[in-house]
Amino acid sequence: MKSSLTYSLLKPEQVDPDKSYPALFLMHGMGSNEQDLLPLVAGLEEKFFIFSIRGPLVQPPGFAFFTIEGFGKPHRHVFDETVGMISNFIDDVLAEYPVDPNQLYLAGFSQGAILSMSLAIKLGNRIKGIAALSGYIPGFVKEEYEKNPVEELSLFISHGEFDQILPYQWGVENDEYFRSLGAKVAFHSYPAGHTVSLKNQQDFTQWLINKLEK
């Protein structure tokens, strides 16, 4: 598939040509890469086509999806451009792979969580589920992005109670915001910092599996 974004793909060992599959799009945190979150979803490739996306910006020792101008404030033009690139990437995947357009999931940590929630607002019910691990929703997204209906969208939002990078209260606000829009939200807190604990991983992957079974 031709794309401006670099990605890694995991998929079932035996792909049924008569079947369409759920798709899971992974987005990493600042300074990481497309391999970072794959261990969190080990084994799920038998259920999903998993597209782990590399941020388009070099950010040693890895990559980033956007730059920031201040605490909790992405550079708007860079952020908007990346949101557009990922939206286009999803469309390209739908055109290229045997993916079910009604079973699209986004998951991310930190910058990836920020983008996942922002894309949820932009794409609305086109997305089946979002897993946002330790992120926030930029003010300009809440205030200026066109809000599409999200009443059919499910979210798993998690945050570490001792997060020193992105305050725990921001996770609480994410929960409150999406509930106010009518989305179905499962909020989980963990006695951890800015990281994905083992229990967080277990809860998030089980949430994904449960969504497939409904």
Side-chain angles (χ1 to χ4, degrees):
M1 184 180 79
K2 292 182 179 179
S3 173
S4 58
L5 293 169
T6 299
Y7 65 99
S8 291
L9 170 61
L10 299 180
K11 60 184 180 179
E13 187 172 350
Q14 298 293 330
V15 175
D16 185 341
D18 299 320
K19 180 179 177 181
S20 60
Y21 291 82
L24 174 60
F25 299 87
L26 298 178
M27 288 167 278
H28 60 77
M30 180 181 284
S32 190
N33 60 52
E34 70 277 14
Q35 299 300 315
D36 184 49
L37 298 185
L38 290 177
L40 298 183
V41 296
L44 292 182
E45 67 273 10
E46 286 306 311
K47 299 178 180 294
F48 291 87
F49 270 62
I50 301 174
F51 301 87
S52 190
I53 304 169
R54 177 192 293 178
L57 307 175
V58 174
Q59 177 70 49
F63 302 87
F65 286 96
F66 55 87
T67 53
I68 56 173
E69 61 175 303
F71 190 50
K73 295 181 178 180
H75 283 110
R76 174 71 185 265
H77 69 285
V78 179
F79 191 87
D80 288 350
E81 184 175 350
T82 297
V83 167
M85 291 172 70
I86 296 171
S87 296
N88 291 337
F89 181 84
I90 293 170
D91 290 338
D92 291 342
V93 163
L94 288 170
E96 181 76 17
Y97 291 97
V99 164
D100 184 348
N102 297 313
Q103 291 283 340
L104 305 180
Y105 295 83
L106 309 178
F109 171 71
S110 196
Q111 280 203 347
I114 295 164
L115 280 166
S116 293
M117 290 186 287
S118 300
L119 283 157
I121 292 168
K122 177 180 174 64
L123 300 177
N125 290 330
R126 280 193 65 196
I127 305 301
K128 181 76 170 180
I130 302 283
L133 317 178
S134 303
Y136 63 86
I137 308 165
F140 60 78
V141 172
K142 292 181 180 179
E143 295 160 10
E144 300 178 36
Y145 271 35
E146 180 181 353
K147 295 177 180 63
N148 285 291
V150 294
E151 72 277 358
E152 296 177 15
L153 174 69
S154 295
L155 296 100
F156 176 101
I157 297 175
S158 67
H159 218 97
E161 295 167 0
F162 310 120
D163 194 325
Q164 299 297 313
I165 306 298
L166 303 179
Y168 172 72
Q169 180 59 30
W170 290 3
V172 174
E173 291 170 4
N174 296 334
D175 175 31
E176 294 171 347
Y177 180 74
F178 275 106
R179 288 182 188 276
S180 76
L181 297 180
K184 299 179 285 290
V185 186
F187 180 69
H188 296 256
S189 60
Y190 302 93
H194 193 64
T195 187
V196 181
S197 67
L198 177 60
K199 185 66 167 66
N200 192 352
Q201 176 196 2
Q202 292 170 338
D203 289 345
F204 140 62
T205 53
Q206 188 59 53
W207 177 85
L208 278 172
I209 292 169
N210 291 344
K211 288 300 166 189
L212 290 184
E213 294 174 348
K214 288 185 178 179

